[in-house]
């Protein structure tokens, strides 16, 4: 069996890459998740051979058997991270090692073989190096990287698969929310929960997101941008949005976010913001916060700001919250001072324009 930590990547160049002029036109307004680079990373796993067959190859469709395990039992995980264009034309990755660790933890929860962290990182570095010209420039622009792994064995028995396929695709990205969204409006889900104790809430698996889509559709139907979920046990405490963690900022300058109890995804942006806040001497609490408290604190003015965070959207102010029988604004309904301060500090570190005291940024090119 090969030592997975030292696999060499074979390279197959795309025979017909996107022309330079066409690529430039696409990068001028990439949107989010709509266009893709020329290549992808691929690594295979089987119970008898382990991790093998590492390649960077042209991005193309995947051929699957109708009995492919992932189509029936949803053994699948993914990650999201970004490569950034630096002012001098180079490129950086932000905390990719944390994504590697979380990917391995998600695999263990889903009864999948953990990909060695060094191999995860190597796949990212190789792909970004080859498709580096796809990294867009400009404020808010980045190359979004999507590593994912799924059960590829052909069988219909209910057991962990013995074959898996790991891939990384890359997508030039602009703002996550249309129009830049100075703030977003949330819909509080009354009938649906994202995850329950003992479930897969802390794993980044597709099933968690699939379960959130009906609630997200309900939010959109009420003219809201995102859904926010309450806890499954009491349907009372705020947990997270459909794809982002949530923070609250109070009139004494302190911030609070729901604790990681196994039902909330341990966001890397979340942890980074907590670290930056503590570095700045801000009082930070990881404590439960009820919907009733949220409404009362917004009404009294104790709650001054709220924001959501995640890799795709970075930091997004929350301006309004709606649900059945209530509708309230937070602060002035737009970006707050501390929200903007934390966002600006984080983005500057990500793009290499500010000091990086924690060694979060890796220069690639």
């Amino acid at each position: 069996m090969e030592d997975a930590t030292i696999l060499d990547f074979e390279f197959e160049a795309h025979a017909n890459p996107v022309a330079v002029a066409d690529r430039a036109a696409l990068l001028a307004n990439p949107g989010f998740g709509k266009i893709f680079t020329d290549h992808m990373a691929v690594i295979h796993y089987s119970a008898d051979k382990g991790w093998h067959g590492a390649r960077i190859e042209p991005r193309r469709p995947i051929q699957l058997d109708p009995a492919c395990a992932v189509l029936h039992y949803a053994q699948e995980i993914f990650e999201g991270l970004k490569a950034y264009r630096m002012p001098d034309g180079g490129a950086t990755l932000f905390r990719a090692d944390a994504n590697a660790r979380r990917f391995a933890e998600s695999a263990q929860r889903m009864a999948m073989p953990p990909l060695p962290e060094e191999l995860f990182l190597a796949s990212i570095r190789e792909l970004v190096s080859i498709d580096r010209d796809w990294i867009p420039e400009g404020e808010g622009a980045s190359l979004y990287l999507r590593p994912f792994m799924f059960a590829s064995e052909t069988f219909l028995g209910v057991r962990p698969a013995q074959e898996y396929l790991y891939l990384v695709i890359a997508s030039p990205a602009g703002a996550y929310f249309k129009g830049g969204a100075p703030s977003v409006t949330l819909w509080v889900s009354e009938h649906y929960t994202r995850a329950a104790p003992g479930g897969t809430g802390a794993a980044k698996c597709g099933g968690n997101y699939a379960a959130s889509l009906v609630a997200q559709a309900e939010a959109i139907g009420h003219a809201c941008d995102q859904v926010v979920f309450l806890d499954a046990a009491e349907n009372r405490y705020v947990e997270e949005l459909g794809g982002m963690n949530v923070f609250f900022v109070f009139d004494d300058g302190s911030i609070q976010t729901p604790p990681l109890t196994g039902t909330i995804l341990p966001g890397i942006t979340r942890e980074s913001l907590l670290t930056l806040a503590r570095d700045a001497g801000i009082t930070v609490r990881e404590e439960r916060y009820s919907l009733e408290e949220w409404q009362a604190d917004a009404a009294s003015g104790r709650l001054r700001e709220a924001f959501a965070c995640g890799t795709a959207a970075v930091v997004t102010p929350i301006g309004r919250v709606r649900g059945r029988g209530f509708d309230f604004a937070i602060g002035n309904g737009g970006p707050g001072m501390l929200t903007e301060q934390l966002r600006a500090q984080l983005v500057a570190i990500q793009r290499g324009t500010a000091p990086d005291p924690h060694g979060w940024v890796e220069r690639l090119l």
Side-chain angles (χ1 to χ4, degrees):
M1 185 180 295
E2 292 181 81
D3 182 350
T5 63
I6 57 173
L7 292 182
D8 292 324
F9 282 78
E10 296 183 5
F11 175 52
E12 178 189 349
H14 200 298
N16 296 291
V18 175
V20 173
D22 292 338
R23 184 176 64 226
L26 292 169
L27 294 181
N29 184 25
F32 187 87
K34 296 179 179 179
I35 61 175
F36 299 91
T37 68
D38 294 310
H39 298 89
M40 62 184 184
V42 182
I43 310 175
H44 297 264
Y45 177 90
S46 63
D48 59 336
K49 295 179 66 176
W51 293 103
H52 64 280
R55 288 171 53 83
I56 303 294
E57 62 183 44
R59 183 181 176 275
R60 53 196 168 201
I62 301 167
Q63 186 173 353
L64 297 178
D65 190 281
C68 182
V70 69
L71 301 178
H72 302 271
Y73 308 117
Q75 260 192 302
E76 182 271 349
I77 58 173
F78 67 96
E79 271 298 327
L81 65 159
K82 291 178 176 179
Y84 301 90
R85 179 73 69 187
M86 296 183 68
D88 64 3
T92 62
L93 291 175
F94 180 74
R95 303 197 68 182
D97 57 336
N99 291 96
R101 286 192 298 273
R102 190 171 66 181
F103 195 71
E105 291 165 358
S106 294
Q108 291 172 336
R109 177 60 184 86
M110 301 301 290
M112 304 168 78
L115 181 72
E117 292 179 18
E118 279 304 315
L119 190 52
F120 177 101
L121 294 171
S123 69
I124 299 296
R125 293 167 184 149
E126 292 282 343
L127 182 59
V128 172
S129 176
I130 288 167
D131 279 349
R132 58 187 176 273
D133 291 336
W134 281 94
I135 305 175
E137 299 179 7
E139 184 178 355
S142 61
L143 181 64
Y144 184 79
L145 300 159
R146 172 52 63 86
F148 63 103
M149 178 168 70
F150 64 88
S152 56
E153 183 182 0
T154 299
F155 82 108
L156 294 178
V158 183
R159 59 163 173 77
Q162 296 182 348
E163 297 176 6
Y164 296 86
L165 193 60
Y166 166 81
L167 301 98
V168 187
I169 56 176
S171 175
Y176 184 74
F177 288 106
K178 187 177 180 180
S183 67
V184 294
T185 300
L186 304 184
W187 175 260
V188 178
S189 177
E190 183 179 3
H191 302 296
Y192 304 103
T193 55
R194 178 186 172 275
T200 60
K204 199 167 177 67
C205 60
N208 290 343
Y209 295 79
S212 75
L213 294 179
V214 64
Q216 176 64 21
E218 183 179 65
I220 293 172
H222 286 85
C224 296
D225 302 290
Q226 271 278 326
V227 63
V228 59
F229 291 102
L230 304 178
D231 71 293
E234 300 181 56
N235 198 40
R236 179 185 177 192
Y237 293 98
V238 179
E239 294 222 315
E240 67 174 282
L241 278 60
M244 292 179 282
N245 297 120
V246 62
F247 278 80
F248 308 97
V249 181
F250 298 94
D251 57 3
D252 62 359
S254 66
I255 66 174
Q256 184 170 328
T257 191
L260 301 179
T261 58
T263 59
I264 294 174
L265 184 73
I268 294 164
T269 305
R270 171 190 183 276
E271 199 275 331
S272 301
L273 292 169
L274 288 173
T275 299
L276 293 178
R278 291 182 174 119
D279 287 349
I282 297 170
T283 298
V284 174
R285 294 184 298 276
E286 295 182 66
E287 298 175 358
R288 296 201 298 178
Y289 192 60
S290 70
L291 177 60
E292 293 91 339
E293 290 174 304
W294 199 357
Q295 294 181 73
D297 289 344
S300 70
R302 178 174 179 259
L303 180 68
R304 295 294 178 85
E305 308 170 33
F307 61 87
C309 66
T311 297
V314 192
V315 174
T316 301
I318 298 168
R320 197 162 201 91
V321 181
R322 294 173 179 163
R324 297 190 187 279
F326 61 87
D327 184 339
F328 61 91
I330 298 171
N332 62 9
M337 185 180 300
L338 187 55
T339 299
E340 292 292 273
Q341 174 188 322
L342 289 172
R343 183 187 186 281
Q345 187 178 1
L346 179 62
V347 169
I349 293 172
Q350 289 173 333
R351 296 184 177 278
T353 60
D356 176 24
H358 299 283
W360 288 338
V361 174
E362 177 186 353
R363 171 126 189 181
L364 296 181
L365 308 171

